[in-house]
Amino acid sequence: MSATQPVSDVLAGPGGTTPVSRPRRGRRIAWMPHVALTPSWIIAIVAYLGTMAATVELSFTRSKLLPVFEFVGWHQYVRLFRSDVWLISVGNLLLFGVLYVVGCLVIGSVLAILLDRRMRGEGLLRTIFLYPYALSFIVTGIVWRWILDPTLGIGRSFAAMGLPGLAINWLGSEQLAIYAVVVSGIWQSAGLVMALMLAGLRGVDGEIWKAARVDGIPVWRTYVSIIIPQTWPMVITSIVLLAMSVVKSYDLIVALTNGGPGVSTDVPAKFIIDYLFVRTNVALAMAASTVMLVVVVVVLMPWIYFQYMRKPGGGR
Amino acid sequence: MRHVRCALMGATFLLGLAALPIGPATTAHAAAPIKIEVMDWFTSSSETAALRELVAKVNAAGGDWQNVTIAGFDQGVAAAQSAAAGGNPPTALQFNGGKQFDDLAERGLLNTIDGVAAEQDWTKVLPPALGASISRDGHYYGVPIDDHGETWMYTSSAAFKKAGVAVPTTWDAFFPAMDKLKAAGITPIAWGGQDWQEFGAFYTVLLSKEGPDLYNAVFRDKKIDAVNSAAFKDAVDTFGKMRAYVDAGSPNRNWNDATAMLIKGTGGVQFMGDFAKGEFTVAHMKEGQDYGCYLGLGANDHYFMMSTDVLIMPKGKGADRIAAQDLLAKVAMSKDAQLAFNNAKGGVPARLDIDSTKLDPCARKGYEALKVPGNQLAGPEMVLSADLMGSLTDVVTRFWSSPTMTSDQFIEKFAAAIKDADD
């Protein structure tokens, strides 16, 4: 992919090829990028890596309200993994993450394909579908809480129509509440995937369509086998964006269910915030954060390896 | 108090750090007023009204109150913690009486209020359990500005009238009365399905049905035997039985929305702390006529389970810091200020030597009960660490929302949470 090339150049660093390829400018110039990047480096090392290190360190202490450096070994981790609330949170994150990403991709792609057929009122529909993404998750959560409230929302409407059987109390059920979170999340973010995919579809060479038509390939087949594979960068971009909102999913949960009923929709971010502030157990919160950090790093490792570490032997 | 948490649930992670100037600065004093900076999380209408009373009293005594309000209980605690730990904190911070500020006191970040306490004879005028919740090793670290009853039962007269049944006064009469309410198309128990409300309803049932000895054994003394007792199981069973008397809209309902059901007559009873009273007052309802307030139900309806808001005084720079803190403590604990503050906020005065005729009927009922030493109980917040309270709350709310969970499983998890606690 030509689009990734400049990125890897930048990441290869200023100390890499620049001075060799331009010997005439002298050695001093090679320092300039370093100087320019120094503030960023300081911020990255102190603010990000430093706080990460502090997080890991604190997770081995007995800190309660304030950080104290009395070490208790793996105690917090033992407690963490004995806590079924934590295990439920992690399970919810996985379930929500998979359904949310897949749901957004499928619905967003289908919407994009429909719009790509140059249907009437495309501009209006595009705006409507993308509009929820302009809302914060807090607003999305509150709106869906009202919609799904059996005494206010669609449940009440069904009951008024004489169809009380259709009124499912999603938010009142331990089993269903997490799916309500998924549905509202997809409602919010599918439009983003649609916009990205539509841009990808429009970038496909028109000649391909002509060729497919000449060969008599059905439209759906053209999409599945030819067009969609060409929009792969858009799919990857969508997955990365969606995955980030999964890991930081907190606001949607707080606004929609606040972790309930019971603890059935708790997620790690909420667990951590609860213990950090309300339950004043800094060390346990830090242990949970460290586990999340490790998980994210483990998941990202293969991707980072393929993206940056592998010596470029060609494009992709 | 905790109701701020739900009042602002929607904006939970918006840290609204707004400096609200409350009340005009006094000009009555010739001497330069002492600047008093207070960080609190009083944001509801009754809370700000109460705060305004206190500000007026402090300013009249020569102070210059500067208010820093943090929106939301969680953010309030977080900001107060950071302020106390981070170098130059305000003159005073709002906390709850109990273990919440243990760490700060232990590590020498707080000034004691022993001088004012001795002068006003706090040991004598405060309920001993409340005094214990604001002191460590014989030193006072917090000024209690109110005393809230945690275990009230409110009833809607309109609902009971419609169902043609009397308000139950015993546990035996409770569920039959709820059945009658249900038959009349009323939601018998106006339920706020948030974890802290469910936890509150649970310890209300425990205290009210099984008595103070069991409550103290479980919550204060953390005795596993008591958790495994037949009486505790009976309380769990009773609590579980209530699930059949709430409506489908109860999950995640705010406490004041549940109170509104009583006001409208669509709900029968609500178990809640005394801050719910403010909602009835705002709706122009009369105690005894439009609604009823009871300190629990049955033989144990005279125990007052306390919780309190306190001001703690962090150490910091500035020459007149101690003077400002002393002035604030002195005024906040004065009879005048206690009465004015609590009449607006809905609680009762923390000190027991005040003329109760100046309180509204519900508060008077609570205050008279509170004056009897045997009726005073330390609330969960006073005796449990925030960590353990959170774990127990998890158990209660999970039991409530999973009808398949048995009482024995509840007891097992409850006992495990106590054993696992780090304190």
Side-chain angles (χ1 to χ4, degrees):
Chain A
M1 290 288 109
S2 60
T4 60
Q5 215 49 51
V7 177
S8 45
D9 272 357
V10 170
L11 285 159
T17 53
T18 320
V20 180
S21 58
R22 290 176 188 170
R24 259 203 262 167
R25 292 209 175 177
R27 285 191 165 212
R28 258 181 226 169
I29 298 297
W31 286 101
M32 281 313 290
H34 283 293
V35 173
L37 283 172
T38 303
S40 315
W41 275 114
I42 291 173
I43 290 171
I45 290 169
V46 174
Y48 295 124
L49 295 178
T51 47
M52 274 185 211
T55 299
V56 175
E57 188 181 9
L58 281 172
S59 72
F60 291 102
T61 67
R62 53 167 289 272
S63 305
K64 293 243 164 237
L65 190 153
L66 301 167
V68 291
F69 293 94
E70 291 167 33
F71 293 92
V72 291
W74 294 94
H75 173 80
Q76 307 296 353
Y77 291 91
V78 172
R79 195 181 150 196
L80 187 66
F81 282 96
R82 281 181 58 189
S83 154
D84 41 8
V85 178
W86 167 253
L87 298 177
I88 289 170
S89 310
V90 173
N92 280 337
L93 186 75
L94 293 176
L95 183 66
F96 170 74
V98 170
L99 293 180
Y100 168 77
V101 172
V102 171
C104 283
L105 282 178
V106 170
I107 293 177
S109 304
V110 169
L111 287 175
I113 288 172
L114 292 178
L115 288 181
D116 189 43
R117 302 311 297 163
R118 313 244 174 225
M119 62 197 298
R120 266 179 145 197
E122 184 202 315
L124 179 69
L125 288 174
R126 214 170 42 199
T127 311
I128 289 174
F129 290 136
L130 190 56
Y131 197 76
Y133 195 69
L135 302 176
S136 76
F137 265 133
I138 286 282
V139 176
T140 304
I142 289 173
V143 166
W144 278 87
R145 196 169 107 201
W146 288 340
I147 291 175
L148 295 173
D149 188 314
T151 56
L152 301 171
I154 48 175
R156 186 175 168 156
S157 306
F158 280 131
M161 285 187 277
L163 298 165
L166 285 179
I168 299 163
N169 190 0
W170 292 73
L171 297 181
S173 156
E174 282 199 301
Q175 284 77 37
L176 294 178
I178 188 70
Y179 298 103
V181 178
V182 171
V183 167
S184 54
I186 291 175
W187 176 82
Q188 207 242 20
S189 304
L192 172 75
V193 177
M194 177 207 73
L196 288 169
M197 289 300 287
L198 188 58
L201 295 176
R202 290 282 155 84
V204 170
D205 192 348
E207 295 301 317
I208 292 174
W209 277 109
K210 284 180 191 157
R213 211 169 298 140
V214 168
D215 287 348
I217 303 170
V219 171
W220 68 268
R221 188 64 206 266
T222 313
Y223 271 115
V224 170
S225 302
I226 303 170
I227 308 295
I228 298 275
Q230 292 199 47
T231 59
W232 200 238
M234 293 303 174
V235 175
I236 296 292
T237 307
S238 305
I239 290 177
V240 170
L241 288 175
L242 295 172
M244 284 197 292
S245 44
V246 169
V247 173
K248 60 183 190 185
S249 56
Y250 172 75
D251 33 9
L252 179 63
I253 301 278
V254 165
L256 185 61
T257 63
N258 200 26
V263 295
S264 61
T265 55
D266 214 343
V267 286
K270 184 169 182 301
F271 182 95
I272 290 165
I273 296 286
D274 279 351
Y275 276 93
L276 194 53
F277 295 124
V278 188
R279 299 185 177 184
T280 59
N281 192 334
V282 167
L284 186 67
M286 293 301 116
S289 307
T290 305
V291 171
M292 287 305 290
L293 177 68
V294 169
V295 169
V296 169
V297 168
V298 165
V299 168
L300 285 183
M301 251 335 169
W303 181 73
I304 291 173
Y305 175 77
F306 280 112
Q307 200 74 14
Y308 301 121
M309 305 290 178
R310 220 170 44 160
K311 280 293 151 208
R316 191 159 73 117
Chain B
M1 280 312 304
R2 277 169 305 183
H3 52 297
V4 181
R5 161 166 22 169
C6 42
L8 285 137
M9 194 53 79
T12 295
F13 81 121
L14 288 176
L15 195 140
L17 202 130
L20 291 180
I22 293 187
T26 180
T27 48
H29 279 254
I34 305 176
K35 193 175 142 197
I36 300 175
E37 207 182 356
V38 182
M39 184 187 274
D40 59 73
W41 59 79
F42 289 130
T43 44
S44 83
S45 59
S46 61
E47 287 167 342
T48 46
L51 191 61
R52 228 172 272 130
E53 297 283 349
L54 182 57
V55 170
K57 296 269 191 291
V58 169
N59 286 351
D64 175 15
W65 186 299
Q66 315 268 321
N67 210 61
V68 183
T69 304
I70 312 292
F73 171 85
D74 301 359
Q75 283 63 43
V77 177
Q81 286 164 12
S82 316
N88 197 19
T91 318
L93 304 165
Q94 182 195 352
F95 266 80
N96 292 131
K99 293 177 177 277
Q100 217 174 42
F101 52 89
D102 265 4
D103 259 21
L104 300 176
E106 254 173 47
R107 301 179 69 204
L109 294 169
L110 302 180
N111 284 323
T112 70
I113 319 165
D114 292 339
V116 178
E119 192 184 313
Q120 294 181 333
D121 210 358
W122 286 13
T123 324
K124 212 165 152 193
V125 299
L126 292 175
L130 194 149
S133 81
I134 55 167
S135 55
R136 306 282 177 273
D137 307 321
H139 297 289
Y140 283 104
Y141 288 101
V143 184
I145 49 182
D146 54 23
D147 193 349
H148 282 291
E150 289 283 299
T151 58
W152 287 87
M153 181 180 88
Y154 293 95
T155 58
S156 164
S157 308
F160 279 90
K161 204 168 172 186
K162 190 180 167 199
V165 61
V167 173
T169 53
T170 65
W171 277 101
D172 287 339
F174 181 75
F175 286 108
M178 295 300 106
D179 285 327
K180 287 248 175 71
L181 287 173
K182 203 175 183 179
I186 289 158
T187 304
I189 306 177
W191 195 264
Q194 295 170 336
D195 57 3
W196 67 271
Q197 297 188 60
E198 285 160 359
F199 188 55
F202 174 70
Y203 58 67
T204 302
V205 171
L206 181 72
L207 169 66
S208 169
K209 189 142 193 262
E210 317 300 339
D213 293 342
L214 183 64
Y215 165 77
N216 278 333
V218 172
F219 280 78
R220 189 189 62 195
D221 308 330
K222 302 175 193 94
K223 289 216 172 79
I224 302 293
D225 295 354
V227 177
N228 288 320
S229 67
F232 189 82
K233 187 169 185 219
D234 180 59
V236 178
D237 287 339
T238 307
F239 179 70
K241 216 172 150 186
M242 290 182 170
R243 289 189 285 227
Y245 297 92
V246 306
D247 63 326
S250 62
N252 214 358
R253 177 185 282 145
N254 289 325
W255 66 269
N256 46 344
D257 293 334
T259 311
M261 293 168 71
L262 265 63
I263 292 170
K264 281 188 287 189
T266 57
V269 305
Q270 183 187 14
F271 298 98
M272 191 42 60
D274 53 14
F275 38 82
K277 196 181 59 192
E279 299 290 307
F280 293 107
T281 313
V282 171
H284 304 293
M285 297 188 79
K286 277 210 171 70
E287 190 274 333
Q289 192 180 322
D290 304 315
Y291 75 100
C293 52
Y294 305 87
L295 267 174
L297 183 62
N300 299 308
D301 66 352
H302 50 275
Y303 293 103
F304 193 100
M305 194 191 282
M306 302 182 288
S307 73
T308 179
D309 291 299
V310 302
L311 297 174
I312 61 167
M313 310 293 183
K315 287 182 178 163
K317 300 173 196 113
D320 56 359
R321 190 173 187 86
I322 302 286
Q325 293 178 336
D326 280 354
L327 173 70
L328 178 61
K330 206 186 233 168
V331 175
M333 262 294 279
S334 70
K335 289 185 184 181
D336 271 6
Q338 290 267 326
L339 200 58
F341 184 86
N342 285 293
N343 268 339
K345 188 160 187 278
V348 301
R351 55 190 297 167
L352 296 176
D353 55 349
I354 290 173
D355 179 8
S356 66
T357 55
K358 288 174 183 154
L359 297 167
D360 67 74
C362 280
R364 199 180 310 138
K365 198 188 271 188
Y367 196 56
E368 289 303 326
L370 181 63
K371 280 184 174 176
V372 181
N375 290 346
Q376 300 160 359
L377 297 172
E381 220 163 24
M382 288 183 176
V383 291
L384 299 177
S385 69
D387 191 354
L388 178 53
M389 190 155 146
S391 304
L392 297 180
T393 305
D394 283 343
V395 176
V396 171
T397 185
R398 288 179 70 185
F399 174 75
W400 179 264
S401 350
S402 347
T404 50
M405 190 168 152
T406 64
S407 298
D408 287 324
Q409 287 170 320
F410 176 108
I411 289 163
E412 196 183 303
K413 282 183 191 296
F414 203 91
I418 291 178
K419 279 184 214 153
D420 277 357
D422 286 330
D423 41 24

